[in-house]
């Protein structure tokens, strides 16, 4: 009986805060694109994606008219410390959490159109399973800068 009362109290408090069942509320910022080593090379894009809602969401695609291709990828460590990139179909954005993309976690592999230099911005649209697409920009930066 006590356990039921505690559970009911917890659910009541959770519902009262507005988190119970609230849709995902996605915010995107801190877009960065590494300047490619050469004008024909692939590079990585990183975003900070925050879900302030009460339901998980998933990033399912990233598009841009400024790139030839964009693919979600994840850094994978192998025995011996070596790493590689693996293409993924989507990336989770849990409720109340942040997906902070980095070279060591999840990123977007892109092939920019034309020569790009540090300081330029590129437009992107992030597509989610449950949320509306979000338009944003990413700044070209030198790796390690």
């Amino acid at each position: 009986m006590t356990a039921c009362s505690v559970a009911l109290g917890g659910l009541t408090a959770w519902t009262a805060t507005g988190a119970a069942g609230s849709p995902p509320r996605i915010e995107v910022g801190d877009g960065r694109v590494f300047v490619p080593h050469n004008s024909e090379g692939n590079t990585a894009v990183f975003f900070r994606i925050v879900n302030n809602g009460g339901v998980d969401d998933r990033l399912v695609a990233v598009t841009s008219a400024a790139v030839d291709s964009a693919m979600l990828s994840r850094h994978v460590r192998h025995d011996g410390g070596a790493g590689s990139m693996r293409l993924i179909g989507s990336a989770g954005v849990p409720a109340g959490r942040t997906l902070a993309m980095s070279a060591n976690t999840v990123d977007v592999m892109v092939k920019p159109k034309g020569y790009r230099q540090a300081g330029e911005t590129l437009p992107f649209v992030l597509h989610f399973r449950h949320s509306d697409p979000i338009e944003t920009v990413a700044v070209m930066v030198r790796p390690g800068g």
Side-chain angles (χ1 to χ4, degrees), residues 88-134:
I88 58 174
S90 65
V93 187
R97 305 284 303 270
T98 298
L99 171 61
M101 295 179 160
S102 75
N104 295 316
T105 59
V106 174
D107 62 33
V108 184
M109 295 302 298
V110 298
K111 183 174 182 178
K113 292 180 180 177
Y115 175 76
R116 300 295 179 164
Q117 57 188 340
E120 287 186 63
T121 58
L122 300 180
F124 288 92
V125 180
L126 280 65
H127 303 268
F128 298 89
R129 179 169 290 154
H130 302 295
S131 300
D132 290 336
I134 295 179

Side-chain angles (χ1 to χ4, degrees), residues 9-133:
L11 288 172
T12 301
W14 185 50
T15 302
T17 64
S22 66
R25 287 191 328 241
I26 302 294
E27 297 175 14
V28 177
D30 298 333
R32 297 170 289 122
V33 183
F34 282 164
V35 174
H37 294 292
N38 61 53
S39 62
E40 307 254 338
N42 290 332
T43 191
V45 183
F46 313 97
F47 298 98
R48 181 176 176 83
I49 304 170
V50 180
N51 182 352
N52 290 313
V55 176
D56 295 349
D57 207 341
R58 294 196 75 76
L59 176 64
V60 296
V62 176
T63 58
S64 173
V67 302
D68 286 328
S69 62
M71 300 168 283
L72 292 170
S73 64
R74 176 178 302 279
H75 186 263
V76 179
R77 290 235 181 257
H78 302 285
D79 292 337
S84 65
M85 299 306 283
R86 183 180 78 210
L87 297 181
I88 58 174
S90 65
V93 187
R97 305 284 303 270
T98 298
L99 171 61
M101 295 179 160
S102 75
N104 295 316
T105 59
V106 174
D107 62 33
V108 184
M109 295 302 298
V110 298
K111 183 174 182 178
K113 292 180 180 177
Y115 175 76
R116 300 295 179 164
Q117 57 188 340
E120 287 186 63
T121 58
L122 300 180
F124 288 92
V125 180
L126 280 65
H127 303 268
F128 298 89
R129 179 169 290 154
H130 302 295
S131 300
D132 290 336

